[in-house]
Amino acid sequence: MNISTINQNIQPIKDILLQHPLYKKVLTIEDLHRFLENHVYAVWDFMSLLKALQSQLTCITTPWFATPNPEIRYLINEIVLAEETDLTLDGRRQSHYEMYVEAMEDCSASTSEIKQFLTEVNSLRNIFVAIRQSKLHPNIKAFLDFTFRVIEEGKSHKIAAAFTFGREDLIPSMFNAILKNFQQNFPETDLRKLIYYFERHIELDADEHGPMAMRMISELCGDDIQKWKEVEAISIEALEKRIGLWDAIEEQILENHLTTT
């Protein structure tokens, strides 16, 4: 088994995700706000997948010791550099999460719920309790719970699978569909920061991070058939959870339409 086999096996569920009706449902500025206010949780928890990989695949403690695979070390550190300290539209350094939140605020989407959630996470010191006690849609809870269960299990090839096939490899095609929708439906709204965020992700993930993440999986799995099988299973589950997230956002948009008509 290899990367090509995984891609072939997960393509049917990727197709379902990439053809999701949500992309055509974001028609008004209120719809856009609902999308951003829910999607931000995926932007945030992605950073935890990233840092979990860095903590497992590099040495981030003292005294320092070289981790066994310099190639993997390089790959994850390169991805972290851009994701955690990229250049903003106006030349500042920010994480992609911070860029997204700033873009939300710039187009008047609310950031109070995600900020309150993170306050609770910090206060409770238990991500699973924070998720369970939150008022998030059940599908968003399931999405977050999956991410942190994979991290908690601590198997680097599984974390890399959720990171790669559930995020980095998926993002260029998925974000292109979203971006096209934004540009068609909101030509008079100032979405420069938001569009920059999506365009930056498309550029990075298609040209650099996606291929790098694939190489990382190949290095982590090698000739271990069991690891490749687990990578496939986690990848499918990650895609299913993303479909659930899109379902939740679509549901909230449709509910908002009913209450405003």
Side-chain angles (χ1 to χ4, degrees):
M1 191 176 283
N2 55 30
I3 291 291
S4 296
T5 307
I6 299 288
N7 273 322
Q8 183 178 346
N9 291 348
I10 68 174
Q11 191 60 48
I13 193 166
K14 281 179 68 175
D15 290 340
I16 293 171
L17 181 57
L18 295 175
Q19 295 163 16
H20 198 285
L22 171 65
Y23 304 121
K24 296 181 180 179
K25 296 286 173 61
V26 183
L27 301 174
T28 69
I29 196 66
E30 289 78 16
D31 299 340
L32 177 62
H33 290 169
R34 294 295 86 72
F35 174 85
L36 299 176
E37 289 158 12
N38 287 281
H39 177 241
V40 68
Y41 292 93
V43 177
W44 171 73
D45 82 333
F46 168 84
M47 299 301 294
S48 289
L49 285 169
L50 176 71
K51 300 303 284 187
L53 283 171
Q54 188 184 36
S55 68
Q56 290 217 2
L57 303 177
T58 73
C59 182
I60 58 169
T61 57
T62 56
W64 178 87
F65 295 96
T67 48
N69 190 318
E71 179 69 11
I72 290 178
R73 198 189 311 155
Y74 159 73
L75 292 169
I76 191 60
N77 279 333
E78 277 292 302
I79 296 172
V80 168
L81 179 65
E83 296 288 351
E84 201 168 32
T85 55
D86 203 4
L87 282 172
T88 63
L89 185 61
D90 55 359
R92 293 170 293 124
R93 291 286 176 187
Q94 279 188 336
S95 70
H96 285 173
Y97 167 75
E98 291 166 310
M99 287 168 60
Y100 195 87
V101 168
E102 196 169 273
M104 289 176 65
E105 292 171 340
D106 207 47
C107 69
S108 301
S110 174
T111 59
S112 59
E113 288 189 8
I114 180 65
K115 290 179 178 178
Q116 179 59 36
F117 175 73
L118 297 189
T119 298
E120 290 298 313
V121 171
N122 189 47
S123 174
L124 291 168
R125 300 291 177 182
N126 186 313
I127 182 62
F128 299 107
V129 173
I131 293 168
R132 188 167 61 248
Q133 291 184 357
S134 74
K135 296 180 180 178
L136 295 170
H137 188 286
N139 288 12
I140 300 177
K141 289 185 179 184
F143 183 91
L144 293 172
D145 189 76
F146 167 75
T147 294
F148 289 99
R149 294 289 176 196
V150 172
I151 291 171
E152 185 181 52
E153 188 179 357
K155 293 185 177 181
S156 55
H157 63 289
K158 286 189 174 184
I159 301 171
F163 177 84
T164 301
F165 292 104
R167 308 295 179 102
E168 295 290 66
D169 179 56
L170 186 67
I171 279 172
S173 298
M174 189 169 63
F175 279 13
N176 266 315
I178 293 169
L179 193 57
K180 183 180 179 181
N181 178 291
F182 288 174
Q183 291 168 330
Q184 286 179 344
N185 292 331
F186 309 104
E188 297 179 5
T189 305
D190 186 359
L191 299 178
R192 283 175 296 176
K193 289 183 179 178
L194 188 63
I195 289 171
Y196 175 80
Y197 167 87
F198 282 108
E199 288 180 337
R200 184 66 177 142
H201 253 289
I202 291 166
E203 175 190 7
L204 278 174
D205 293 343
D207 297 340
E208 299 176 35
H209 293 180
M212 292 169 84
M214 294 291 185
R215 283 163 57 196
M216 184 166 57
I217 290 215
S218 294
E219 291 281 339
L220 288 168
C221 291
D223 297 324
D224 191 322
I225 299 300
Q226 183 58 35
K227 284 185 177 180
W228 281 110
K229 288 180 179 178
E230 290 175 349
V231 162
E232 181 177 329
I234 287 293
S235 300
I236 290 170
E237 192 171 357
L239 293 169
E240 288 172 344
K241 291 295 185 288
R242 172 70 73 162
I243 290 170
L245 174 66
W246 272 189
D247 289 343
I249 299 175
E250 181 188 18
E251 179 184 316
Q252 293 187 43
I253 287 173
L254 292 175
E255 285 178 354
N256 187 58
H257 286 179
L258 290 174
T259 58
T260 56
T261 56

